């Protein structure tokens, strides 16, 4: 205990003055000018905006609402969207989480409820337009957000989604510092990451301690929900990397035990977080490419076979 106290005291001395980062590079997402394209071109990202007057044939096409993880943007699902567009037979909405894809201060002041709302907005709009076959594809933190919707009974009385497809869901963080964020967060102010040049345009380099506390609150809430049991009336498949520096693989076990319904889990021989996204990474192996393509094909198979 004494060592922990000394560690926290040392952190306070080092980071006490570091409440906000100095952001001078406008090419970073954190800057004042780099915003996610979906904010000003929604018709290229959301099915509801692209096809606001669907034909009867379009209403029968499967629609997948794809949402990204904490500190990321719609870029996380660009490769899947491009691949499915070439394959045909389904539509993909890439949803930007609330508070994300904007400047640092907007992200800093967002809550996990803010993150969730655009997912609900797109779902409700698609239901209103009359789309008949809607599924969700989520990565990382979006999986926790959807589990919270399920637990709250949000989909009751609506057109229940046909499938929930989770890629590297986070329930337990691999970074144990997150569990201490309520203590060390105010001392740190923010956490700086080391993205590649491409990633820094689509992910926050600086992660405000306020949003990390929101993330921890969300994960704690969902863990308690899973302990009590979350009812599922359709189908859920989890794809989980065996090694993951962000989401502990035990997250998949907690979901499997806590969700009551038709659920399956596939452990993937990968050490990437959100292994379905390869663009912008520093190094990609043939195994990574194979894992991505197998997941894409399996997701498409599941969605189309429900027709």
């Amino acid at each position: 205990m004494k060592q922990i106290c000394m560690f926290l005291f040392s952190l306070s001395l080092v980071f006490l003055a570091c409440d906000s980062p100095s952001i001078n590079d406008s090419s970073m997402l954190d800057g004042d000018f780099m915003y996610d394209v979906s904010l000003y071109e929604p018709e290229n990202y959301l099915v509801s905006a692209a096809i606001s007057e669907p034909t009867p044939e379009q209403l029968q096409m499967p629609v997948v609402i794809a949402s990204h993880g904490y500190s990321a943007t719609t870029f996380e699902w660009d490769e899947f969207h491009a691949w499915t567009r070439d394959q045909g037979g389904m539509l993909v909405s890439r949803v930007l989480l609330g508070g994300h894809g904007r400047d640092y201060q907007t992200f800093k002041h967002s809550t996990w409820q803010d993150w969730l709302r655009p997912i609900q907005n797109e779902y409700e709009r698609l239901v209103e337009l009359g789309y008949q076959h809607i599924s969700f594809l989520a990565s990382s933190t979006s999986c926790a957000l959807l589990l919270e919707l399920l637990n709250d009974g949000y989909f009751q009385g609506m057109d229940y989604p046909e499938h929930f497809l989770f890629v590297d869901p986070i329930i337990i963080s691999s970074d144990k510092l997150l569990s201490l964020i309520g203590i060390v967060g105010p001392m740190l102010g923010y956490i700086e990451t080391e993205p590649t040049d491409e990633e820094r345009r689509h992910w926050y380099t600086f992660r405000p301690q306020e949003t990390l506390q929101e993330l921890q609150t969300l994960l704690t809430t969902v863990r308690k929900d899973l302990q009590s049991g979350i009812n599922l009336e359709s189908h859920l498949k989890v794809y989980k990397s065996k090694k993951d520096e962000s989401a502990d693989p035990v997250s998949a076990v907690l979901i499997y035990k806590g969700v009551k319904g038709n659920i399956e889990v596939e452990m993937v021989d990968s050490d990437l977080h959100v292994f379905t996204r390869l663009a912008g990474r520093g190094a990609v192996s043939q195994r990574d490419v194979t894992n991505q393509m197998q997941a894409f094909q399996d997701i498409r198979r599941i969605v189309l076979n429900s027709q």
Side-chain angles (χ1 to χ4, degrees):
M1 184 65 185
K2 183 178 179 181
Q3 290 179 329
I4 294 177
C5 291
M6 288 299 295
F7 169 71
L8 296 179
F9 177 72
S10 298
L11 281 178
S12 67
L13 294 178
V14 174
F15 294 103
L16 192 57
C18 301
D19 181 55
S20 296
S22 176
I23 304 171
N24 300 314
D25 188 346
S26 62
S27 69
M28 296 168 57
L29 176 61
D30 315 61
D32 293 332
F33 306 106
M34 197 71 188
Y35 300 112
D36 192 79
V37 182
S38 67
L39 291 170
Y40 49 89
E41 294 181 2
E43 67 279 3
N44 292 330
Y45 289 82
L46 301 177
V47 172
S48 64
I51 314 176
S52 58
E53 297 181 2
T55 65
E57 292 76 16
Q58 288 171 326
L59 292 176
Q60 294 301 315
M61 291 185 68
V63 181
V64 174
I65 300 175
S67 55
H68 59 82
Y70 166 80
S71 82
T73 61
T74 52
F75 181 79
E76 199 157 73
W77 288 114
D78 279 1
E79 291 159 280
F80 178 74
H81 173 262
W83 182 81
T84 55
R85 181 184 56 207
D86 291 341
Q87 297 295 311
M90 59 190 290
L91 303 170
V92 177
S93 275
R94 288 165 289 167
V95 173
L96 180 68
L97 298 187
H100 287 66
R102 300 158 173 89
D103 60 67
Y104 177 85
Q105 290 298 324
T106 299
F107 182 44
K108 175 180 177 178
H109 294 294
S110 65
T111 66
W112 71 259
Q113 291 90 347
D114 295 329
W115 307 346
L116 174 60
R117 190 58 199 165
I119 299 176
Q120 295 173 283
N121 288 343
E122 179 64 359
Y123 173 70
E124 292 167 9
R125 181 60 177 150
L126 290 172
V127 170
E128 180 183 358
L129 289 170
Y131 286 92
Q132 299 296 305
H133 305 286
I134 303 173
S135 296
F136 284 92
L137 174 61
S139 57
S140 194
T141 298
S142 275
C143 303
L145 293 172
L146 286 172
L147 287 172
E148 188 60 19
L149 282 186
L150 284 169
N151 183 73
D152 288 346
Y154 168 77
F155 297 104
Q156 299 300 325
M158 304 177 74
D159 291 340
Y160 206 91
E162 295 184 347
H163 302 281
F164 292 87
L165 303 156
F166 289 177
V167 174
D168 288 332
I170 181 171
I171 305 299
I172 301 290
S173 175
S174 296
D175 184 355
K176 304 314 174 188
L177 179 62
L178 185 62
S179 64
L180 297 173
I181 199 64
I183 300 173
V184 303
M187 303 176 193
L188 296 173
Y190 60 89
I191 300 279
E192 183 175 357
T193 62
E194 297 181 354
T196 65
D197 288 343
E198 180 65 24
E199 288 173 333
R200 68 206 300 265
R201 299 176 61 241
H202 305 287
W203 276 261
Y204 288 101
T205 299
F206 301 102
R207 299 178 179 181
Q209 64 90 13
E210 291 87 352
T211 61
L212 290 167
Q213 290 203 45
E214 288 293 320
L215 175 60
Q216 177 64 7
T217 298
L218 170 64
L219 298 185
T220 300
T221 301
V222 174
R223 280 199 299 273
K224 292 179 180 178
D225 295 341
L226 289 168
Q227 290 172 359
S228 300
I230 297 177
N231 294 320
L232 173 71
E233 296 184 12
S234 56
H235 167 251
L236 165 63
K237 180 162 185 180
V238 176
Y239 304 84
K240 187 72 195 73
S241 292
K242 293 180 180 179
K243 296 180 181 180
D244 189 330
E245 64 180 11
S246 296
D248 193 309
V250 77
S251 298
V253 177
L254 295 179
I255 294 173
Y256 185 76
K257 290 184 175 181
V259 173
K260 310 303 178 183
N262 182 10
I263 177 173
E264 54 183 317
V265 174
E266 179 179 335
M267 301 304 294
V268 179
D269 184 19
S270 172
D271 56 7
L272 300 179
H273 181 58
V274 188
F275 69 91
T276 47
R277 192 272 300 181
L278 300 182
R281 294 190 187 271
V284 173
S285 69
Q286 183 56 51
R287 182 188 66 174
D288 297 330
V289 174
T290 299
N291 287 338
Q292 181 196 58
M293 191 50 54
Q294 288 179 343
F296 283 1
Q297 292 171 344
D298 194 55
I299 290 167
R300 186 172 187 272
R301 174 190 62 80
I302 290 171
V303 171
L304 293 185
N305 282 353
S306 62
Q307 302 307 293

